[in-house]
């Protein structure tokens, strides 16, 4: 049985994290567009957190984060390959925190209406 080289494992770490970061950026961008449209139809004032998330998405911050994180991982892979696992965990943790922030921002208007746990819509 052939042993997998540590460099291949490091490349796999970086690649998986980069895919997760770009997937997160895509989800946040799509959610911002969908919720901005849906909430504008309500005609009510939105919470500051929701407006901030929509503005950040309009300013392409999720895409800037994904680009910067991918560039950082690529740089570390070339210059300091031994740091890839630590850098991957840090980038992934920041991405998850950003996704949690986005989820909170988009759910806050519904929670403020008192609808904390809505029922499934009927078919």
């Amino acid at each position: 049985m052939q042993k997998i080289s540590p460099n291949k494992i490091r490349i796999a770490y970086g690649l998986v994290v980069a895919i997760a970061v770009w997937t997160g950026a895509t989800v946040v961008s799509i959610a911002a567009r969908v919720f901005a449209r849906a909430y504008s139809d309500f005609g009510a004032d939105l919470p500051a957190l929701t407006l901030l998330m929509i503005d950040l998405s309009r300013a392409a911050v999720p895409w800037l984060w994904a680009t910067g994180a991918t560039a950082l991982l690529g740089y570390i892979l070339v210059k300091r390959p031994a740091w890839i696992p630590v850098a991957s965990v840090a980038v992934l943790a920041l991405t998850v925190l950003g996704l949690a922030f986005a989820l909170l921002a988009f759910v806050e208007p519904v929670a403020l209406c008192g609808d904390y746990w809505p029922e499934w819509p009927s078919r």
Side-chain angles (χ1 to χ4, degrees):
M1 188 167 204
Q2 198 174 25
K3 188 176 178 182
I4 300 174
S5 73
N7 281 339
K8 288 184 181 178
I9 293 172
R10 290 179 186 128
I11 291 170
Y13 279 154
L15 185 61
V16 167
V17 171
I19 290 170
V21 169
W22 282 94
T23 302
T26 303
V27 166
V28 169
S29 294
I30 290 171
R33 287 178 183 265
V34 168
F35 283 109
R37 169 88 48 180
Y39 289 154
S40 69
D41 291 343
F42 291 157
D45 292 332
L46 292 175
L49 188 61
T50 306
L51 291 173
L52 174 66
M53 195 66 228
I54 290 170
D55 289 342
L56 289 174
S57 294
R58 280 187 181 145
V61 171
W63 301 116
L64 292 173
W65 165 250
T67 302
T70 303
L72 176 69
L73 289 172
Y75 176 80
I76 290 173
L77 185 62
V78 171
K79 296 292 184 180
R80 305 265 190 221
W83 292 5
I84 280 292
V86 173
S88 296
V89 168
V91 166
L92 198 56
L94 290 172
T95 301
V96 168
L97 287 173
L99 288 168
F101 176 79
L103 177 64
L104 176 66
F106 294 132
V107 169
E108 187 179 17
V110 176
L112 290 176
C113 293
D115 200 4
Y116 296 109
W117 194 256
E119 297 295 324
W120 286 106
S122 60
R123 288 186 171 217

